[in-house]
Amino acid sequence: MGRIVSFLGSFVAKWGGAIIRFGLMFGMVMFFAKFAVPFFVDLMDAVAFILSRVNALIDYINSYTGNTDELITLFFNVLKSIGFIDAFRDAYTLFKPIFFTLIVVLGGKIVMRFLSLFARLLNYLFISRID
């Protein structure tokens, strides 16, 4: 009878400890995932902010009337007359979705790689702790 109780006690202690360790590791993964999601959201906000600032700059250059300095007005008039500003605006409009999509995909890849690495390390820790 003592051997059965000893066997069951060691079995419960082994798996109870493994379940507690797994719960702690799962909690740690969720804790770090809590930081990865806001990173991705902040990255999206940064992309939207940069997009709005570049659009505002292009609108300012297109609507520049030149009331302040004659040399700056001449510079913008030359750029407009050779078509540089229109070419930049058209190229920016064409490549804007591609450029910002790549930034968002890169940020998502960083987040996913971090979470995958962390989960894999915890998995290795969990496997090594089971006797």
Side-chain angles (χ1 to χ4, degrees), residues 47-57 59 92 100:
V47 167
F49 177 75
I50 292 170
L51 179 64
S52 68
R53 293 294 101 202
V54 171
N55 286 336
L57 176 67
D59 291 341
Y92 175 73
F100 288 107

Side-chain angles (χ1 to χ4, degrees), residues 34-54:
K34 184 177 102 174
F35 293 115
V37 171
F39 170 77
F40 190 71
V41 170
D42 288 343
L43 180 70
M44 296 289 286
D45 289 342
V47 167
F49 177 75
I50 292 170
L51 179 64
S52 68
R53 293 294 101 202
V54 171

Side-chain angles (χ1 to χ4, degrees), residues 53-63 85 88-89 92:
R53 293 294 101 202
V54 171
N55 286 336
L57 176 67
I58 290 173
D59 291 341
Y60 174 75
I61 290 173
N62 284 333
S63 65
I85 293 176
F88 176 75
R89 187 183 67 228
Y92 175 73

Side-chain angles (χ1 to χ4, degrees), residues 15-33 118-119 121-123 125-126 129:
W15 283 102
I19 289 170
I20 290 171
R21 282 191 303 270
F22 177 75
L24 290 173
M25 288 184 257
F26 183 75
M28 288 171 41
V29 168
M30 290 299 113
F31 177 74
F32 284 110
F118 191 72
L121 289 174
L122 288 179
N123 192 19
L125 178 65
F126 179 69
R129 299 298 287 171

